[in-house]
Amino acid sequence: MSTPKISILTHDIAGGAFTNLCTTLVRGFQKLGVDCNLVVLFASAEELAKYPDIQIVTLNVKRTIFSLGATVRYLREYQPDVILPMPWYFNIVAIWAKYLSGVKTKVILGEHNIISLEAGIEHRDKLRLRFLPILMRYTYPYSDGLIGVSKDTITDLVETLKISSEIPMRVILNPINPERLQELAQEPVYHPWFQNPEIPVILTTARLAKQKQLDNLLRAFAQVVKETPGKLIILGEGPLRLELEQLSKELGIQELVWMPGYDPNPYRYMAKCDLFVLASAWEGCPIALQEAMGCGAAVVVTDAPGGMKDIIDYGKYGMMVATSDAEALATGMLRILTQIDLKQDYRKQAKVRSQDFHYLHISKQYLDFCLSVLVSPILKNKEVV
């Protein structure tokens, strides 16, 4: 069939993982000759000016809960062949909007996290999110397809949330733009910790939240500096900042930990750090890890549910240690910091692996799946990996 019209529906373009993901996918689709719109709730003139090469449609609403009517109007006016909503709450909106609008648009959901853990642990105090798995169970079957960003993401949907496996499903990792990373990574870092090559710098970029297990990382780092000098940088912001700062003091490492908050260009740190670490309790498919590898960082991750294992191919392209085990994490970090040849090998392997995440390669996988759904509307297949 001819190249389809595709719309991507997400929250905003203010920055962060989904801004990077969606804008990268749009650029990939455009290079593949696809007519693609990025649809967001709202974007300021300043934000729109940052993406002159992307077709961005604003629904002019402030919150997702008010977006259904605007999404219906958009579908009726533009009538894309496929809409790709992300994250989960836009999956719900897109399914309802399709049926209320009466258009023939295919809704292909994007699942980006381990929802049973996200709802049951991270958001267990938010009543509206605790019932999310039930809402998904009875809504997702009305979609036309589903893309999960890791094998565990789809396994969680099918086995834990009991979502029908008859929906066409495919695992596709997140895309990155290696050329853009290399350009931004060239920007200088003036922080004094990067002026002394004798003291290694460990980096993580993560929201300061339960999922990221930064408390475990701090405890592991406290063990590491008993054996070798080191500094730790945590890029990101979140609700646990005060708790993490207090823990750093209790561990006696507050002078060795820098938490500057969100940085729009973490790539300059990724390219210059000695080690990148993700100590998460679960993940979807962390773009930060993929980007760090694209910048040539040696990486250590946990074997938690989600896409970290997929990204490093179970230890081939980075070191994998047990989840929630500060001692194991410290041992893994020490191995790379103290074995120069091992660190250099992981750096090379990371760069090689990052090419598999190239946005043109990933966008082509998205396009192929969209086409398969369009040409085989009654196809009911199991997960395709």
Side-chain angles (χ1 to χ4, degrees):
M1 66 173 296
S2 59
T3 304
K5 292 197 301 182
I6 297 177
S7 295
I8 299 175
L9 174 65
T10 194
H11 193 272
D12 56 42
I13 51 171
F18 281 100
T19 295
N20 290 343
L21 168 60
C22 294
T23 55
T24 300
L25 272 178
V26 172
R27 289 181 173 126
F29 284 139
Q30 289 175 343
K31 283 188 175 283
L32 294 170
V34 175
D35 180 0
C36 183
N37 280 348
L38 176 57
V39 185
V40 298
L41 298 185
F42 180 83
S44 67
E46 292 78 11
E47 290 168 344
L48 291 170
K50 295 178 182 178
Y51 303 98
D53 59 323
I54 294 177
Q55 300 177 59
I56 299 175
V57 177
T58 63
L59 299 178
N60 291 318
V61 294
K62 292 292 187 179
R63 299 182 61 186
T64 311
I65 195 171
F66 303 128
S67 66
L68 179 59
T71 305
V72 168
R73 289 190 294 273
Y74 169 79
L75 289 177
R76 286 174 176 167
E77 178 181 350
Y78 187 69
Q79 297 197 22
D81 297 298
V82 175
I83 188 166
L84 299 168
M86 57 186 79
W88 66 264
Y89 35 89
F90 286 107
N91 289 339
I92 306 296
V93 169
I95 290 171
W96 277 101
K98 171 187 174 175
Y99 285 94
L100 290 174
S101 65
V103 299
K104 295 182 179 180
T105 300
K106 301 295 184 183
V107 179
I108 298 180
L109 310 181
E111 199 55 70
H112 296 266
N113 215 325
I114 308 296
I115 293 297
S116 65
L117 298 177
E118 184 78 2
I121 298 176
E122 190 70 60
H123 299 300
R124 64 182 302 173
D125 297 328
K126 299 177 182 178
L127 187 61
R128 69 185 187 280
L129 296 183
R130 286 180 61 188
F131 294 99
L132 169 63
I134 297 174
L135 179 62
M136 293 167 66
R137 185 181 306 164
Y138 293 103
T139 306
Y140 276 28
Y142 291 95
S143 69
D144 299 287
L146 187 148
I147 292 173
V149 294
S150 67
K151 296 174 184 176
D152 286 351
T153 298
I154 288 184
T155 299
D156 181 61
L157 291 175
V158 174
E159 295 186 1
T160 306
L161 275 66
K162 307 302 181 184
I163 291 173
S164 173
S165 60
E166 291 188 349
I167 304 168
M169 298 182 184
R170 180 166 295 173
V171 175
I172 305 178
L173 302 183
N174 283 328
I176 64 171
N177 186 334
E179 293 80 17
R180 175 175 173 270
L181 296 182
Q182 293 306 311
E183 179 181 349
L184 293 173
Q186 299 306 311
E187 290 191 10
V189 175
Y190 297 108
H191 194 279
W193 287 0
F194 289 91
Q195 312 311 313
N196 184 358
E198 299 299 317
I199 301 180
V201 176
I202 301 166
L203 174 70
T204 192
T205 62
R207 185 169 179 268
L208 312 185
K210 295 176 185 177
Q211 174 187 0
K212 305 301 180 176
Q213 283 195 148
L214 294 169
D215 55 340
N216 210 48
L217 174 58
L218 289 174
R219 292 187 177 91
F221 177 69
Q223 295 184 40
V224 167
V225 294
K226 292 177 182 178
E227 305 292 333
T228 188
K231 308 282 190 178
L232 174 63
I233 298 176
I234 301 175
L235 297 180
E237 198 51 81
L240 299 186
R241 170 174 282 277
L242 293 179
E243 293 181 28
L244 295 170
E245 290 175 342
Q246 180 60 36
L247 180 58
S248 294
K249 293 178 182 178
E250 293 173 2
L251 294 170
I253 56 174
Q254 67 270 29
E255 299 301 322
L256 305 177
V257 178
W258 182 41
M259 299 172 58
Y262 171 76
D263 192 296
N265 181 11
Y267 317 116
R268 51 187 173 152
Y269 297 98
M270 292 173 175
K272 298 171 181 64
C273 71
D274 293 271
L275 179 61
F276 182 87
V277 181
L278 273 187
S280 306
W282 71 90
E283 284 284 356
C285 178
I287 294 178
L289 174 60
Q290 296 171 289
E291 291 175 332
M293 295 171 72
C295 291
V299 301
V300 174
V301 302
T302 61
D303 62 356
M308 292 188 291
K309 304 187 296 291
D310 298 347
I311 290 170
I312 67 164
D313 196 9
Y314 293 81
K316 181 177 180 180
Y317 300 102
M319 184 171 292
M320 188 170 65
V321 301
T323 310
S324 304
D325 188 334
E327 185 174 343
L329 182 57
T331 299
M333 293 162 64
L334 275 168
R335 282 190 61 198
I336 291 182
L337 293 176
T338 58
Q339 298 179 33
I340 303 302
D341 291 343
L342 181 63
K343 179 170 71 174
Q344 291 304 115
D345 182 60
Y346 274 135
R347 283 184 184 274
K348 293 177 183 177
Q349 293 295 331
K351 267 293 186 67
V352 170
R353 175 59 166 161
S354 69
Q355 291 303 309
D356 293 335
F357 317 135
H358 195 288
Y359 73 105
L360 288 179
H361 177 60
I362 298 297
S363 297
K364 181 64 165 56
Q365 293 182 45
Y366 266 81
L367 179 57
D368 288 346
F369 185 61
C370 290
L371 291 173
S372 73
V373 170
L374 286 169
V375 301
S376 304
I378 62 172
L379 177 65
K380 298 291 184 180
N381 61 297
K382 301 291 184 179
E383 175 192 353
V384 181
V385 181

